[in-house]
Amino acid sequence: MNGISKNIFSFGKYLCWTVLELVYTLIDVISNSIDARPDEYHGDYKIKASIDLVGDFIVKDYGKSMSLEDMLTLLIIPFATEKDPLTHIGRFGLGFLSTLNYCLRNPELSKVKVNTVTKEGAYSFTFSSKSSEVSGLELEIKRSRPIRKKTGTTVRITKCINSKNDLKKYIKNQFENFSPRRAKIYLEGKLVNPELEGDAYYFPQKFNIRGRQMQQDVGIIINNSGKKNGTLYVTSQGIQIEGHVLYGAGLKIDFPPAVLLSIGRDELKKDENYAAALDKVFEMVAYYIRDHKKSKVVSEVFPATIASLAG
């Protein structure tokens, strides 16, 4: 299948992003790989990202792959997605389609290649363009032989990176506090998101989700190493939302998907689920204090800090 007609690419008005937004689409490629983790997956789930010598950006995962039908549906109905905002962080829909901007900015040079392996077979999708107009976009689909037994997806955006070091810093900044319990993200073979050292507590909490009571884990990690200054990290679904200097110790609060993000995804929605999660954080800190009664920092600073989050 080659030379998809203009009306299929009817999302042209979305393909006019700034350079920063183009870079963010690369973050979304990683986020989509994280979302591909199957619910029944056990063990470390690894995402491997790399930038090769010619400026290609590559992301590999071993999660649930898009089928041929899924991909074609996405092209015909650009925002068609089964993603649940309560459990997924990527934007496969607009997030994926925005990668095609690289084809338009660098016609006949940059391509977006997606290789998927499912139980039914393996497919290769190659997007390219002969002009900077949406009408110039073309898609080639090939059935291929699986090069690995595991399911998964590899996304390669060719000749899209001008500054490798800047992109590496940007990716590290975006994901360095992402919870490795959900996915371990490797960039150029190095783990981007090692877990914060310290005592970890993950307690179950019931939340009201779409009119149903559902149980999800709320977590904290306390690093009481005695350093003069530490950091308070507030994360949701593994993504850092807030970061503050904290006197005397480090604290990471890991809110579950039931604690929703705002529309801009840069702050938490202060609703009853947020309040319930914060109560659970207080409970876990109290549990820690009972075991570390001599720590003045933990017994005095942490409760006051957590109380400030309630506002």
Side-chain angles (χ1 to χ4, degrees):
M1 183 180 297
N2 207 350
I4 297 297
S5 61
K6 183 178 179 179
N7 65 332
I8 289 186
F9 288 101
S10 58
F11 48 82
K13 62 181 178 178
Y14 299 103
L15 298 181
C16 54
W17 290 32
T18 66
V19 173
L20 179 59
E21 289 169 323
L22 281 171
V23 173
Y24 192 79
T25 65
L26 304 182
I27 299 300
D28 250 345
V29 173
I30 297 175
S31 298
N32 285 324
S33 288
I34 293 169
D35 290 344
R37 173 176 176 156
D39 294 336
E40 66 277 8
Y41 195 95
H42 297 290
D44 292 339
Y45 180 69
K46 298 178 181 180
I47 309 294
K48 298 178 181 179
S50 60
I51 306 163
D52 70 11
L53 294 176
V54 296
D56 291 6
F57 180 70
I58 308 106
V59 176
K60 297 180 180 181
D61 69 64
Y62 296 94
K64 182 180 178 181
S65 299
M66 292 189 75
S67 66
L68 176 60
E69 181 181 358
D70 292 334
M71 183 64 80
L72 292 177
T73 300
L74 175 64
L75 294 174
I76 296 170
I77 310 174
F79 297 99
T81 176
E82 295 182 355
K83 286 199 169 194
D84 186 341
L86 285 177
T87 56
H88 295 103
I89 62 175
R91 303 173 300 169
F92 214 115
L94 177 57
F96 171 72
L97 294 176
S98 61
T99 64
L100 303 185
N101 275 288
Y102 284 102
C103 300
L104 301 181
R105 289 179 68 91
N106 302 301
E108 299 191 83
L109 185 65
S110 291
K111 298 180 179 181
V112 177
K113 300 180 179 181
V114 182
N115 294 317
T116 66
V117 180
T118 67
K119 294 180 180 179
E120 290 73 32
Y123 292 92
S124 173
F125 305 86
T126 301
F127 299 86
S128 61
S129 182
K130 293 180 179 179
S131 72
S132 58
E133 301 294 327
V134 175
S135 57
L137 281 168
E138 295 183 353
L139 167 62
E140 180 182 18
I141 303 175
K142 292 181 179 179
R143 191 178 182 99
S144 58
R145 295 181 60 184
I147 58 175
R148 57 187 182 184
K149 294 182 180 180
K150 294 182 179 179
T151 61
T153 301
T154 300
V155 176
R156 176 187 290 266
I157 306 175
T158 66
K159 297 179 174 60
C160 66
I161 306 302
N162 294 321
S163 177
K164 180 175 180 177
N165 289 335
D166 286 347
L167 179 60
K168 287 173 67 175
K169 290 177 183 177
Y170 189 76
I171 292 174
K172 187 175 186 299
N173 181 64
Q174 290 292 313
F175 288 107
E176 62 184 348
N177 293 307
F178 188 87
S179 174
R181 290 166 59 96
R182 185 165 181 184
K184 289 188 174 181
I185 302 165
Y186 290 85
L187 178 61
E188 305 282 271
K190 295 183 179 180
L191 183 63
V192 171
N193 59 326
E195 188 61 276
L196 180 71
E197 293 182 1
D199 297 290
Y201 298 85
Y202 280 83
F203 285 9
Q205 172 66 34
K206 289 185 178 180
F207 296 98
N208 184 7
I209 301 175
R210 297 169 182 164
R212 293 187 300 158
Q213 288 288 311
M214 297 181 65
Q215 185 171 284
Q216 295 181 354
D217 286 346
V218 181
I220 64 170
I221 300 175
I222 297 174
N223 183 346
N224 190 17
S225 61
K227 293 182 180 180
K228 185 175 181 180
N229 287 320
T231 304
L232 166 66
Y233 298 108
V234 178
T235 66
S236 176
Q237 303 185 49
I239 298 176
Q240 182 178 333
I241 306 301
E242 298 180 35
H244 308 281
V245 174
L246 188 63
Y247 175 75
L251 173 63
K252 179 179 179 180
I253 301 174
D254 195 5
F255 287 119
V259 180
L260 299 176
L261 295 174
S262 64
I263 295 177
R265 298 166 68 95
D266 57 355
E267 63 180 3
L268 297 166
K269 187 177 180 181
K270 306 294 178 65
D271 57 11
E272 62 178 14
N273 284 346
Y274 177 84
L278 209 56
D279 285 343
K280 185 61 64 173
V281 171
F282 267 117
E283 180 183 333
M284 289 185 286
V285 169
Y287 187 89
Y288 181 87
I289 290 172
R290 287 196 295 269
D291 291 342
H292 302 79
K293 294 180 180 179
K294 295 181 180 180
S295 174
K296 184 177 180 180
V297 170
V298 172
S299 61
E300 295 182 4
V301 176
F302 279 8
T305 300
I306 297 168
S308 70
L309 297 176

